[in-house]
Amino acid sequence: MSIEVSYKKDKIAGTVKLDGSKSLSNRALIIRALCPDHFEIDNICASDDSIILQKLLSQSSDEIYDTGHAGTCYRFMTAYLALKEGSQVLTGSARMKERPIGILVDALTSLGADIEYMENEGYPPLRINAFDHQKSISKVSISGGVSSQYISALIMIAPTLPEGLEIIIEGELVSRPYLEMTLKMMGYFGIDHTLEKNKISIPNQAYHAKDILIEADWSAASYYYSIASIKQADITLQGLFKDSWQGDAAISEIGKKFGIETTYGKNELTITSNPDNRSQHLDHDFIKEPDIAQTVAVMCAANGVEGFFTGLQTLRIKETDRIDALKTELAKVNASLYKLPPKMSKKSGNEYYGIAGKASAQEIPVFETYKDHRMAMSFAPLAMLFPIQIVKPEVVSKSYANFWKDLASLGFDIQELA
């Protein structure tokens, strides 16, 4: 299925009630499964990933657990199932079988878990057998250059381990705010920990049941900042907190470069914009918030803002290779994402990318989504400039099922194509 999306007004205004954060919802679900007592989770995310995780956590032992495309679910379930009785098979989609899991498996087996690779070494699917006992070792080392989800998976089970856990992080930690989000949520449920520069220590202890309200998703909010960067806007987004645990809240600061101001109310915010006040250049390191990199790349292209980005290394191991996907799709509107010469990285060792060109189209561009929800939603704001087509728009259900409905409520014209 494909859709054609357009927007014909000069300004945009309205109110959108955002769904709960997928990241927060999935962490709360794992913690509830590990907690001795039940608690309520209010405003839980209605995304495919959270629905899948709820289903998997309700399954009995000795069954096949299939996460589909849900990478967060796979990583969290690997650690969770490592502590369960019985023997379980944890599998996923064809793309999931291409996404590495060896770093997490190695850490778990060093603690005493019994995990086997069923196909290719280092990749799903896995057979996870009953955890016998924790080895005397209660310390693991893990590279900070991998997805923080590996570390979050480990630290959420850490309090339930007989000897607790100490994690040594080697090198620079990518996506640090996601790890801090996990620790803050664990603290909400009574877990004590110490976090030093490269070490996390969590003793054995019990989670305490406590009802929780899940904040709305800041990565979902980022698409409205992108919309507001293109035309004058007055949009209220409900469900967001000023003091957020989510690293993607950085979009409110990035928005200032595009002439966007954020005003906070009680559990909501309003974004107003004057695109004439935008900057002509944006430098940003996405190491702490990689999930909004696609949004900001398209924002730059939509506005003709020159971008200079780093911290994109984890984008290659997401639902698709997001760097290659961005290159391909931006080229369809005469914009480009390109890797800067290695000499730019001599001192830092980082990779740098540039964004150039202002989006334009003589014919309606047709954007592929690569089975990636963020590709669909990141490119949707370009409909403010000219009509666009999105192939397989249903992929948004992975994290934001009501995305197209919410755009329509703001005046976007969305037509299903044969």
Side-chain angles (χ1 to χ4, degrees):
M1 184 182 83
S2 298
I3 57 173
E4 185 168 305
V5 187
S6 60
Y7 189 86
K8 300 176 182 177
K9 300 177 183 178
D10 294 331
K11 300 179 181 180
I12 186 165
T15 298
V16 175
K17 184 181 185 303
L18 294 174
D19 195 13
S21 160
K22 176 167 69 79
S23 296
L24 291 172
S25 295
N26 289 353
R27 285 161 173 77
L29 286 166
I30 290 290
I31 289 172
R32 186 167 68 181
L34 293 167
C35 185
D37 300 306
H38 182 79
F39 58 83
E40 296 298 325
I41 305 174
D42 189 23
N43 197 38
I44 195 167
C45 184
S47 68
D48 288 349
D49 283 22
S50 295
I51 291 170
I52 289 170
L53 186 56
Q54 289 181 79
K55 177 183 176 182
L56 296 181
L57 290 171
S58 68
Q59 285 187 202
S60 302
S61 297
D62 302 313
E63 292 186 7
I64 295 175
Y65 293 74
D66 189 342
T67 68
H69 297 306
T72 305
C73 293
Y74 200 95
R75 290 157 181 169
F76 289 0
M77 287 299 296
T78 299
Y80 174 74
L81 291 176
L83 303 184
K84 286 198 69 172
E85 294 296 325
S87 178
Q88 289 77 229
V89 171
L90 182 62
T91 188
S93 66
R95 172 59 180 164
M96 187 60 62
K97 293 180 181 181
E98 298 173 347
R99 299 177 71 176
I101 195 67
I103 291 172
L104 179 57
V105 170
D106 289 348
L108 290 166
T109 54
S110 74
L111 294 170
D114 183 359
I115 304 175
E116 308 167 35
Y117 295 111
M118 299 183 67
E119 294 180 11
N120 296 317
E121 187 82 8
Y123 295 85
L126 304 173
R127 180 177 297 281
I128 304 176
N129 302 308
F131 185 88
D132 185 12
H133 65 281
Q134 185 175 0
K135 294 180 181 177
S136 58
I137 181 174
S138 60
K139 178 189 298 185
V140 297
S141 295
I142 192 165
S143 170
V146 299
S147 170
S148 62
Q149 292 173 9
Y150 295 121
I151 304 174
S152 287
L154 286 169
I155 63 175
M156 283 191 289
I157 66 166
T160 69
L161 294 171
E163 299 181 34
L165 184 61
E166 182 177 284
I167 299 177
I168 305 299
I169 299 168
E170 300 176 340
E172 182 185 10
L173 176 62
V174 302
S175 308
R176 186 182 184 92
Y178 292 98
L179 176 59
E180 292 174 346
M181 174 201 299
T182 307
L183 290 169
K184 286 175 182 176
M185 180 168 281
M186 292 170 64
Y188 178 86
F189 293 105
I191 298 301
D192 294 324
H193 73 274
T194 58
L195 172 61
E196 300 174 8
K197 183 177 181 180
N198 68 333
K199 184 171 71 174
I200 307 166
S201 300
I202 303 173
N204 170 259
Q205 57 199 294
Y207 283 106
H208 299 293
K210 186 178 180 182
D211 294 345
I212 186 170
L213 171 64
I214 300 296
E215 182 188 14
D217 189 11
W218 269 97
S219 59
S222 74
Y223 309 119
Y224 296 97
Y225 278 85
S226 185
I227 287 168
S229 76
I230 300 172
K231 292 186 178 181
Q232 286 191 350
D234 187 345
I235 303 171
T236 296
L237 302 175
Q238 297 179 336
L240 295 166
F241 307 161
K242 185 175 182 179
D243 297 320
S244 177
W245 292 350
Q246 300 177 62
D248 290 343
I251 191 64
S252 64
E253 285 299 311
I254 295 171
K256 292 178 180 179
K257 294 284 189 178
F258 292 85
I260 302 169
E261 294 297 327
T262 304
T263 304
Y264 292 91
K266 184 179 179 180
N267 294 349
E268 69 176 26
L269 61 81
T270 298
I271 53 178
T272 53
S273 67
N274 183 351
D276 291 337
N277 294 333
R278 74 173 72 91
S279 301
Q280 296 303 308
H281 186 86
L282 175 68
D283 290 354
H284 195 76
D285 184 348
F286 288 92
I287 198 70
K288 294 181 178 180
E289 53 275 341
D291 282 349
I292 61 173
Q294 289 153 289
T295 305
V296 180
V298 178
M299 284 174 75
C300 286
N303 291 284
V305 171
E306 183 181 29
F308 185 64
F309 295 173
T310 189
L312 305 183
Q313 52 262 50
T314 62
L315 268 63
R316 291 200 181 277
I317 57 169
K318 298 290 187 177
E319 285 77 355
T320 187
D321 183 330
R322 288 177 170 170
I323 292 176
D324 282 350
L326 277 170
K327 288 179 181 178
T328 300
E329 301 310 307
L330 285 172
K332 294 177 180 179
V333 289
N334 302 304
S336 60
L337 170 70
Y338 57 93
K339 189 175 180 180
L340 290 159
K343 65 181 181 180
M344 300 292 295
S345 307
K346 282 184 178 179
K347 290 185 179 180
S348 67
N350 296 330
E351 291 184 341
Y352 292 91
Y353 291 84
I355 301 281
K358 188 178 189 307
S360 62
Q362 292 183 335
E363 298 181 350
I364 298 176
V366 180
F367 295 117
E368 299 292 336
T369 50
Y370 304 84
K371 298 181 180 179
D372 184 348
H373 53 133
R374 300 204 189 281
M375 287 299 294
M377 294 184 285
S378 295
F379 279 83
L382 291 180
M384 304 283 286
L385 297 173
F386 39 74
I388 65 171
Q389 290 182 13
I390 302 283
V391 178
K392 297 184 178 177
E394 63 274 13
V395 294
V396 301
S397 64
K398 179 176 173 61
S399 64
Y400 187 177
N402 289 328
F403 179 70
W404 302 115
K405 180 180 177 181
D406 288 345
L407 287 196
S409 75
L410 293 177
F412 282 78
D413 183 27
I414 301 173
Q415 301 293 327
E416 187 173 325
L417 304 175

